[in-house]
Amino acid sequence: MKDRESQLIRELETQRLEAQTRRHFLRTCATGMGAMFLSTMANRAFGSAELDFTRPAVSPLAALPPQFAAKARRVIYLHMAGGPSQLELFEHKPDLEKLNGQDCPQSFLAGKRFAFITGTPKMLGPQAQFHQAGKSGTWLSDRLPHLERCVDDLCFIRSMRTDQFNHAPAQLLMQTGSPRLGGGASLGSWVTYGLGTENQNLPGFIVLVSGGKTPDGGKSLWSSNFLPSVYQGVQCRAKGDPVLYLSNPAGVSRGLRREVLDAIEEADRQEHAALGDPETLTRIAQYEMAFRMQISASDAMDLRQEPPEMHAKYGTEVGKESFANNCLLARRLAERGVRFIQLYHWGWDSHGSTESEALNLGFHAQCRQVDQPIAALLEDLKGRGMLEDTLVVWGGEFGRTPMQENRGGQANKFIGRDHHPGAFTIWMAGGGVKPGFGYGETDAVGYDIVENPVEVRDLHATILHQLGFDHRKLNFRFQGLDQKITGVKPAKVIRDVLA
Amino acid sequence: MNGSPPESPESHLSERQRRPFLRPWQAVALPLIATAPVLLMLAERLPWAWLAPFLGRFHPVVLHFPIVLLLLAGCLEILQIAGRGRWEFPVTLVLFLGATGAVTAMALGWLLMRADAVTGGLIEAHERDGIIVAVLAVVTLSARLLADARRTPLPRWAGRALLAVTGVMLFRTSHEGARVTHGEEYLEEHAPWFKPKPKTVFAFPLSRPVLQWDLYAHVVTPILQARCYECHAARKAKGGLLLDSWANVQRGGKTGGAVVPAKPDESLLFQRINLPFEHHDHMPPRRKSQLSAEEMALLRRWILLGAPAQGTLGSLHLDNRLVTVVGQLPGLLLDKNAVVPDASDEEPDPAAVAKLRGDLAGVVAEMQARYPQVVAYESRQSGDLEMNAAVAGKSFGDADLAAVGRVAGRIVWADFSGTAITDRSAAVVAAMKRLRVLRLGRTAVTDLMAPALGKLAHLESLNLFGTAVTPALLPAIAPINSLRRVYVGETRIASDAACPEGLRGKILFPATFSQARSASPARRAKPAKLVVLTFDDAVKSHLTVVAPLLRELGFRATFFITPRWMGDQSNFLTWAEVGQLHRMGFEIGNHSWTHADFGDPNTGKLLGGELQRVEAELAKVGVPKPISFAWSGNAFGPEGIEELKKHGYQLARRGMQPEVLYGAVKVGPALDVRRHHPLLIPTTGDAYPAWTLEHFKEVVASAQLEEIVVLTFHGVPDPAHPWVSTPQEKFHAYMMYLKEAGFTAIALRELANYYDLSSPPADRLLGTRSGRDAAPPKP
């Protein structure tokens, strides 16, 4: 019985498929294809023409004009990896002090998932003193006395949020627009893809890492992913060779290197003549750039050229790998026309499980490591007139909870807070953002956003806007999609923060 | 069909009615009379000779009458034919008026031509056709009158044909006239079949170095082409002057030759362009594009050289400044009508962008090929240019800028930081009239650049960082209204330089460390890990416990002495023991005689006397007059501060208040020598029995890089004041931690090394007062 039934079904299926002809296909498709055609035409007619980013194969990093007149020409992105606590730096929450030590209200916990907090944690009052600073009267904690001098140049976004509560995905989202490894190309790559770079003797996208650890997101954070690999970030080091494998091996002089490159170029040109692959020309260009970089990168990265007072200002020590050194390098690179300078500084993961992670102990040292150099960088850029068109962005991948972390239900050994994706603070400076301005607001304890939430993609759209791009237009066709850093969800430029 | 053929309407009229209202000869004579004034004007010596040019200007008014009237005559005639006798129109009358108007317009037009001495192909054609129209109109009118009077065998159709021919000629003439006034492409410009005549092409040999350009062909000709050809070339020659060839320039116009070789001031060409702009004879006329000073200088120079037809800039030894100007000519001349587009996210129409970039696109492309990365459009929507010479560094100099200067008028943003340009580029810089941002940082420019900068009326940001400019440059740029920021870091413009009105608040001085240091030469860089140790109230254990341990660890400290409790000799020090501490190398500070509340205004005034009493006792045991004071009970006030100053006290320590409540196990403010007044040095940590090592670490870690931790202890232990006692073991642990963590411990007096005591900071607590601590927390 069963057999006969299934046989019947099979037969009917076969008959149905046999009845499906080419005509059926075309008829079914007609509406779909028509719509596709129409949408393409409509796109052309209504002016969403695609921007052309093609460049000569020999100069893939050649500068291109922005889509519209830009306010910022370059970006210095100071990524504070680990998730710095907004409640000890920028978010003044006197009510949190009153709740210190009390049980966290259940309304905060219902339906929420935390990286480490379990059960009912205690609320944790601010572990720093706050005061109003600058002409803008911005509330600032005592942890950043140097940055206080620049507070009237900063534009705070106090209502950032993300949907990732672990470091690597959150960092990836922040830097590439996608929380997955290989999900997106990094912001620096997009920017160099869109604008190229001014100085053809240096990479357009340079990455400097400090804090003793590469951030959890790893090198994917500065990957170009589907964008051509020339747009990926080049990690430079403050110590030793600025770029690995750049200098000549022992026994090879620069003259010899030149001869080798000439010979390789000759061979490449023959190959290109024979096969016509434009990637061959790219390779020639890359070899040439590496050769030029042997001089220019070493020069740009040589902090010994800076006068002693500059070292005193930044708190730098030649030959050390430190955030301070990287800040000074960032200024030198910006001065030389590098488009996107990405700094990572690890060490903000203030759980309170060790002394260095304690908000009342290690956090002080952590703040000290960045406070003076950032203030020095901002003042230096400002004094040189570069802050007008350099967009400086400061921020981590998420914020921290107003509750004290209780890993495994026990209060941690030291005072700390858990990861908090729901609300955190970043700031920007220069590059046409409003100075001495604050945007967005959180509730009385800094847990939820009550006004003007800003998604990561909104931040990306805003940064790209300052660089002269509509984020929807800065795209790249890959896997059948017009890939863009803001993804498929709607993103908006935060116009209120623009000067 | 038996009737007669339809009668013409005239047949019904009586003989008298049929008589024309004018005799033919009268009809012809009348229009001729209209020309009579013209004939009079021919006698130029007559006193009313001014009438000729005056009346000439009425040509454009009067000409509309014959056009309308002659066309109306034609239309009426056609209606009359079509109406087959149903209507009768006074066609002859209309024709008469039209013919009169045509003759008048012709006469006035001729006056106008004479007065303005306009010649040229188009004008001459208009003149010829105008005469033809007038003659035709008169002939048509005559023919008609003759026909009406039946005095001519001419058939009726001949009269109509003549009218038709007049109409056609009328069209032709008026079209030519319109082309003279509105421009040759006016009518057809928007027609679909219209192909614009290629815009004026200047013969700039852009591939050749400027010195190889020919002065007449490549410099003088383009200037004349841009500024004069509209009226003095090819089909139009106002004043009889043609400037479109060297020979024509020599020939000149009706008032004489245009140039007198080697004598620019006697050359009409130069005289006219050099007249004040308001002058009636100034050239080019007011509403036309004017010659720039540089262009005039070039023409003058050419005439001075004898107005040669040939010769390169090099061979003619043109001076450098003018050679620089020549480099910009293409930009200056082509950029007459540059448009400022609004930056927006709106997708621009590619055609609109191409139009914005217009004639200069070719020049820009050539520049980009020569200076890659240096010249770029501001955006994909913009016709404006940005110039980023900074990437070229020292390889970019005045010569390069002179060449790039061809597009000077379009540049809105220019960065020359670190290039080799000098004041010799001033003329090019001045030509960048639309610049919004100019960066000259780290170049060799000096105050000599000032006049050029003053010409940049749209400048918003000017960067002179690291140049040799002085305050003398500032007055030149002060009048620029749009200017918002002037960067003068590392120049000879000091922050206290006299700032011209208009620049106030716009000059940015970098907050450099070097400046801060030069202001306080005595200030030393402080070691990274530094604490100040202070011990209050002369407790016995200071000598028995604290001093030996500190000696052992190599720590310095200050002991603040008050005799308030010294009567209790078992728990407190004697004066002799205080002297002993001094001899061990520790600082002895003053803590007042009575340990009273000196935050109180009345008590505060008494502080001086108390200080002296303590000083006197100290002197007896060989302790010198202290320079450090500790506010007793942590109370302070302005009166006390005055007393301290009067008595030569340089440093005074307060408590953690008002920042932190007394008695709380909290971290107080760390000393910031830029914020805290030396007589109001805060306490970062006031040791209580409840302190733990962890809290101690927190206190010590709280200082930022430039800050200093100040610690206050009482007795170790302090049996008489147990609420401030520190157990000996804990104290030992604290000190061991400091030692192991590599701290340096100093006495309060050593802070003078890090303070600029001559200009103390404006502490926000100055002028305020803080009362004595609330009742001490009882154990």
Side-chain angles (χ1 to χ4, degrees):
Chain A
M1 185 69 191
K2 245 226 166 120
D3 276 0
R4 282 178 63 193
E5 216 172 82
S6 62
Q7 201 181 349
L8 185 67
I9 289 170
R10 258 205 311 279
E11 266 178 39
L12 285 170
E13 181 67 11
T14 313
Q15 273 174 15
R16 192 182 68 78
L17 286 173
E18 275 170 2
Q20 293 272 338
T21 63
R22 189 174 54 89
R23 285 178 193 211
H24 282 102
F25 173 73
L26 286 178
R27 194 175 59 206
T28 322
C29 282
T31 42
M33 288 171 91
M36 281 156 70
F37 173 75
L38 271 180
S39 76
T40 317
M41 294 310 288
N43 269 351
R44 284 195 198 144
F46 298 115
S48 50
E50 282 171 25
L51 299 179
D52 182 12
F53 295 103
T54 52
R55 299 167 166 89
V58 286
S59 50
L61 287 170
L64 289 178
Q67 184 188 348
F68 44 85
K71 289 284 193 293
R73 304 176 72 84
R74 66 192 75 80
V75 175
I76 298 178
Y77 196 125
L78 311 172
H79 187 116
M80 302 292 111
S85 174
Q86 73 279 16
L87 297 165
E88 268 68 39
L89 295 173
F90 305 118
E91 282 274 82
H92 174 53
K93 298 293 173 190
D95 288 351
L96 188 57
E97 174 72 66
K98 294 179 199 151
L99 297 171
N100 185 33
Q102 297 180 18
D103 277 355
C104 174
Q106 288 306 313
S107 59
F108 281 18
L109 305 172
K112 289 277 163 64
R113 226 181 116 198
F114 299 91
F116 293 99
I117 284 178
T118 45
T120 304
K122 301 265 192 277
M123 301 304 285
L124 178 64
Q127 298 299 300
Q129 309 283 329
F130 277 81
H131 60 278
Q132 281 182 296
K135 286 182 190 149
S136 56
T138 306
W139 283 96
L140 208 59
S141 92
D142 294 340
R143 295 283 84 88
L144 301 168
H146 290 276
L147 191 68
E148 187 173 333
R149 298 195 302 268
C150 310
V151 75
D152 287 333
D153 289 319
L154 307 184
C155 175
F156 290 93
I157 298 179
R158 304 179 185 280
S159 52
M160 278 301 301
R161 69 179 177 205
T162 172
D163 49 17
Q164 298 297 322
F165 63 62
N166 279 320
H167 295 293
Q171 287 164 0
L172 283 163
L173 180 68
M174 210 67 196
Q175 299 301 146
T176 73
S178 160
R180 279 165 291 116
L181 284 171
S186 85
L187 185 59
S189 300
W190 278 112
V191 171
T192 33
Y193 166 69
L195 290 173
T197 186
E198 291 169 350
N199 187 337
Q200 299 297 302
N201 299 335
L202 285 172
F205 175 19
I206 290 184
V207 181
L208 300 161
V209 177
S210 58
K213 173 181 156 183
T214 301
D216 308 63
K219 294 189 160 100
S220 298
L221 293 176
W222 51 91
S223 155
S224 59
N225 200 358
F226 44 74
L227 290 176
S229 51
V230 289
Y231 304 116
Q232 78 179 343
V234 174
Q235 189 181 350
C236 288
R237 307 181 311 159
K239 202 157 78 174
D241 279 353
V243 181
L244 283 172
Y245 316 119
L246 184 65
S247 57
N248 295 323
V252 178
S253 68
R254 197 161 156 83
L256 184 57
R257 169 65 71 113
R258 181 70 261 172
E259 286 174 32
V260 170
L261 288 181
D262 287 346
I264 294 173
E265 184 181 336
E266 182 53 35
D268 280 342
R269 292 220 175 271
Q270 283 174 17
E271 186 179 300
H272 181 253
L275 302 173
D277 182 358
E279 281 291 304
T280 317
L281 294 177
T282 310
R283 189 162 60 194
I284 296 172
Q286 295 298 88
Y287 278 135
E288 285 303 315
M289 182 173 161
F291 185 71
R292 293 192 304 268
M293 268 175 64
Q294 286 189 330
I295 301 286
S296 54
S298 314
D299 171 69
M301 304 289 288
D302 184 5
L303 291 186
R304 283 170 304 182
Q305 296 172 5
E306 294 290 336
E309 59 267 23
M310 199 55 74
H311 288 294
K313 192 171 158 58
Y314 278 80
T316 42
E317 282 175 56
V318 176
K320 214 176 116 186
E321 188 151 289
S322 71
F323 183 77
N325 281 20
N326 288 351
C327 281
L328 185 51
L329 285 174
R331 193 265 287 158
R332 290 176 63 84
L333 294 170
E335 221 170 18
R336 283 163 174 73
V338 175
R339 186 70 72 187
F340 201 101
I341 302 147
Q342 175 80 52
L343 271 65
Y344 287 99
H345 186 61
W346 172 257
W348 296 95
D349 198 16
S350 308
H351 287 288
S353 49
T354 63
E355 189 173 316
S356 67
E357 279 184 2
L359 282 171
N360 55 344
L361 294 170
F363 188 72
H364 294 215
Q366 188 70 20
C367 290
R368 273 201 298 274
Q369 286 169 23
V370 302
D371 179 36
Q372 186 188 355
I374 293 176
L377 174 64
L378 290 173
E379 285 178 342
D380 201 7
L381 290 174
K382 195 173 179 185
R384 285 163 197 263
M386 293 168 69
L387 195 61
E388 298 183 350
D389 56 11
T390 303
L391 181 64
V392 182
V393 186
W394 180 100
E397 64 268 36
F398 41 57
R400 306 208 80 87
T401 55
M403 296 85 88
Q404 184 172 2
E405 182 171 321
N406 59 344
R407 203 170 286 200
Q410 301 274 310
N412 284 1
K413 200 169 155 204
F414 296 90
I415 291 172
R417 303 180 187 274
D418 201 356
H419 304 169
H420 186 46
F424 61 107
T425 302
I426 65 149
W427 55 256
M428 298 193 273
V433 296
K434 271 185 201 160
F437 184 73
Y439 181 80
E441 202 183 316
T442 56
D443 60 25
V445 294
Y447 187 66
D448 268 332
I449 295 166
V450 294
E451 189 187 277
N452 295 327
V454 176
E455 307 291 346
V456 174
R457 52 183 180 276
D458 299 336
L459 176 67
H460 290 156
T462 307
I463 293 172
L464 290 182
H465 178 270
Q466 293 309 84
L467 291 162
F469 280 104
D470 176 346
H471 61 98
R472 293 165 298 186
K473 294 289 160 55
L474 183 58
N475 54 32
F476 184 84
R477 181 145 290 206
F478 177 67
Q479 288 180 343
L481 278 178
D482 281 336
Q483 304 277 356
K484 49 189 190 289
I485 191 161
T486 47
V488 293
K489 289 182 191 164
K492 61 182 187 298
V493 174
I494 315 298
R495 299 207 176 252
D496 284 350
V497 304
L498 309 182
Chain B
M1 295 292 274
N2 65 337
S4 51
E7 285 176 315
S8 68
E10 289 91 342
S11 62
H12 296 290
L13 302 170
S14 70
E15 192 63 25
R16 183 177 162 73
Q17 280 172 315
R18 201 179 288 154
R19 199 174 64 85
F21 67 91
L22 279 174
R23 301 269 169 219
W25 67 267
Q26 290 172 312
V28 177
L30 273 177
L32 288 177
I33 292 168
T35 64
V38 182
L39 300 173
L40 283 175
M41 292 316 121
L42 291 178
E44 281 187 347
R45 294 201 191 96
L46 291 176
W48 52 86
W50 58 270
L51 261 176
F54 176 75
L55 289 176
R57 294 288 165 97
F58 284 87
H59 171 72
V61 179
V62 171
L63 63 90
H64 295 98
F65 292 92
I67 294 175
V68 170
L69 290 166
L70 291 175
L71 287 178
L72 182 64
C75 292
L76 292 177
E77 185 70 10
I78 291 168
L79 279 174
Q80 207 153 287
I81 296 166
R84 290 171 188 271
R86 257 175 288 167
W87 306 301
E88 192 184 354
F89 299 113
V91 178
T92 311
L93 174 65
V94 176
L95 189 58
F96 166 73
L97 294 174
T100 311
V103 172
T104 314
M106 176 199 77
L108 295 175
W110 191 61
L111 285 181
L112 180 65
M113 248 182 91
R114 250 186 85 80
D116 287 2
V118 188
T119 56
L122 189 61
I123 287 280
E124 278 157 16
H126 181 60
E127 177 193 19
R128 184 193 63 219
D129 294 340
I131 294 171
I132 290 175
V133 168
V135 169
L136 270 174
V138 171
V139 169
T140 310
L141 175 66
S142 313
R144 189 162 186 105
L145 286 169
L146 285 170
D148 285 355
R150 305 220 170 161
R151 290 191 184 180
T152 166
L154 267 177
R156 194 166 265 276
W157 61 262
R160 289 174 177 158
L162 268 172
L163 189 56
V165 173
T166 310
V168 170
M169 283 310 291
L170 184 68
F171 263 109
R172 188 186 155 94
T173 311
S174 33
H175 182 53
E176 282 161 356
R179 281 163 36 116
V180 169
T181 37
H182 296 297
E184 301 207 2
E185 292 160 355
Y186 184 70
L187 189 61
E188 311 98 306
E189 196 176 4
H190 299 293
W193 59 83
F194 175 70
K195 285 197 186 69
K197 218 173 55 176
K199 287 266 165 71
T200 322
V201 176
F202 298 103
F204 293 114
L206 295 179
S207 54
R208 263 190 259 165
V210 170
L211 283 178
Q212 288 176 26
W213 291 16
D214 195 283
L215 181 56
Y216 179 74
H218 304 136
V219 178
V220 174
T221 302
I223 295 176
L224 298 177
Q225 213 174 347
R227 311 292 183 204
C228 315
Y229 276 23
E230 197 181 331
C231 301
H232 298 290
R235 308 192 68 181
K236 204 168 167 185
K238 289 204 167 179
L241 177 64
L242 283 171
L243 295 171
D244 53 2
S245 72
W246 187 80
N248 279 341
V249 173
Q250 306 301 311
R251 195 175 301 124
K254 71 165 180 178
T255 36
V259 295
V260 179
K263 293 181 176 165
D265 297 324
E266 291 174 40
S267 302
L268 274 173
L269 173 71
F270 191 76
Q271 280 179 1
R272 288 299 195 88
I273 61 176
N274 203 27
L275 282 173
F277 184 65
E278 296 76 18
H279 195 282
H280 179 258
D281 286 335
H282 171 83
M283 279 291 148
R286 285 187 198 189
R287 267 168 301 197
K288 309 287 180 186
S289 73
Q290 299 293 315
L291 283 95
S292 68
E294 292 83 0
E295 291 163 35
M296 284 174 60
L298 283 166
L299 289 183
R300 185 188 159 81
R301 185 64 199 224
W302 171 66
I303 297 170
L304 269 177
L305 289 165
Q310 273 158 0
T312 62
L313 268 57
S315 68
L316 295 170
H317 304 290
L318 217 61
D319 63 62
N320 277 340
R321 199 181 72 83
L322 289 179
V323 172
T324 313
V325 173
V326 170
Q328 309 156 27
L329 262 188
L332 287 173
L333 298 185
L334 289 170
D335 197 39
K336 283 185 292 187
N337 303 308
V339 185
V340 187
D342 281 338
S344 76
D345 319 17
E346 294 304 314
E347 198 61 41
D349 172 14
V353 175
K355 197 171 172 191
L356 279 177
R357 296 184 179 181
D359 316 326
L360 269 184
V363 182
V364 172
E366 195 250 345
M367 303 268 59
Q368 286 176 325
R370 190 156 152 204
Y371 298 101
Q373 310 289 326
V374 170
V375 179
Y377 286 106
E378 187 190 26
S379 78
R380 290 170 187 248
Q381 310 177 347
S382 172
D384 294 338
L385 295 172
E386 296 190 339
M387 212 178 145
N388 186 359
V391 298
K394 291 286 176 216
S395 65
F396 191 95
D398 291 318
D400 302 282
L401 184 51
V404 176
R406 289 171 198 175
V407 291
R410 284 271 179 97
I411 297 174
V412 296
W413 186 100
D415 189 351
F416 299 110
S417 308
T419 62
I421 71 158
T422 68
D423 295 329
R424 283 197 291 278
S425 285
V428 195
V429 169
M432 298 183 185
K433 296 201 184 303
R434 293 182 46 225
L435 266 187
R436 293 196 307 264
V437 176
L438 176 61
R439 301 200 168 146
L440 296 167
R442 292 177 287 114
T443 61
V445 303
T446 68
D447 293 347
L448 294 177
M449 191 56 100
L453 298 177
K455 289 184 185 159
L456 305 176
H458 300 286
L459 203 60
E460 292 169 14
S461 168
L462 174 63
N463 193 325
L464 299 164
F465 186 92
T467 58
V469 299
T470 73
L473 176 133
L474 298 178
I477 57 170
I480 306 177
N481 283 329
S482 53
L483 200 58
R484 283 186 289 144
R485 291 178 294 263
V486 184
Y487 299 95
V488 297
E490 299 188 15
T491 65
R492 285 179 214 163
I493 303 174
S495 50
D496 51 359
C499 173
E501 197 61 46
L503 285 180
R504 206 141 294 169
K506 295 176 179 175
I507 302 185
L508 272 101
F509 305 95
T512 57
F513 189 72
S514 49
Q515 273 182 357
R517 218 172 39 178
S518 64
S520 53
R523 240 179 92 186
R524 273 191 219 161
K526 81 170 191 65
K529 294 181 165 186
L530 190 68
V531 292
V532 176
L533 295 180
T534 64
F535 298 85
D536 286 11
D537 295 354
V539 185
K540 188 68 120 196
S541 54
H542 289 168
L543 184 67
T544 56
V545 178
V546 175
L549 178 63
L550 297 187
R551 277 280 291 260
E552 194 184 319
L553 296 173
F555 286 171
R556 300 183 289 278
T558 304
F559 293 91
F560 287 107
I561 306 302
T562 175
R564 165 82 187 266
W565 298 283
M566 276 164 70
D568 174 3
Q569 289 202 356
S570 59
N571 288 322
F572 293 88
L573 298 170
T574 61
W575 286 110
E577 286 167 329
V578 173
Q580 209 175 325
L581 280 175
H582 165 68
R583 283 188 292 281
M584 287 174 80
F586 296 104
E587 182 189 15
I588 303 300
N590 201 325
H591 199 34
S592 84
W593 189 260
T594 62
H595 204 271
D597 176 0
F598 296 105
D600 179 81
N602 297 319
T603 323
K605 288 176 195 142
L606 306 175
L607 179 58
E610 299 222 0
L611 295 171
Q612 284 173 330
R613 285 186 74 178
V614 176
E615 285 164 17
E617 288 300 322
L618 289 174
K620 289 181 193 162
V621 291
V623 178
K625 180 187 166 306
I627 61 160
S628 299
F629 172 74
W631 292 96
S632 47
N634 297 327
F636 59 84
E639 299 78 13
I641 290 175
E642 281 314 303
E643 290 296 304
L644 287 172
K645 283 182 187 166
K646 210 193 292 177
H647 289 86
Y649 283 78
Q650 295 181 2
L651 301 155
R653 196 213 70 217
R654 59 181 174 94
M656 302 199 286
Q657 304 88 316
E659 288 89 340
V660 172
L661 226 64
Y662 182 72
V665 181
K666 283 248 170 189
V667 182
L671 168 64
D672 183 343
V673 296
R674 296 156 309 174
R675 271 197 302 148
H676 296 122
H677 192 274
L679 294 177
L680 290 171
I681 292 169
T683 295
T684 319
D686 200 344
Y688 302 124
W691 268 28
T692 59
L693 181 60
E694 195 198 326
H695 181 73
F696 182 79
K697 285 181 186 174
E698 193 183 328
V699 169
V700 168
S702 69
Q704 308 297 327
L705 211 61
E706 297 259 315
E707 291 177 350
I708 301 168
V709 170
V710 180
L711 297 172
T712 298
F713 292 91
H714 292 77
V716 183
D718 201 328
H721 299 149
W723 59 92
V724 288
S725 171
T726 299
Q728 196 176 339
E729 314 77 53
K730 281 191 178 173
F731 183 73
H732 191 260
Y734 302 158
M735 294 301 115
M736 290 313 290
Y737 170 75
L738 288 182
K739 189 72 197 169
E740 280 159 21
F743 277 85
T744 309
I746 59 169
L748 198 76
R749 64 182 171 199
E750 292 172 66
L751 288 176
N753 290 330
Y754 310 112
Y755 254 121
D756 179 15
L757 292 170
S758 60
S759 58
D763 195 315
R764 66 195 165 92
L765 295 178
L766 277 175
T768 68
R769 63 181 77 251
S770 167
R772 194 184 159 77
D773 291 332
K778 297 288 174 210

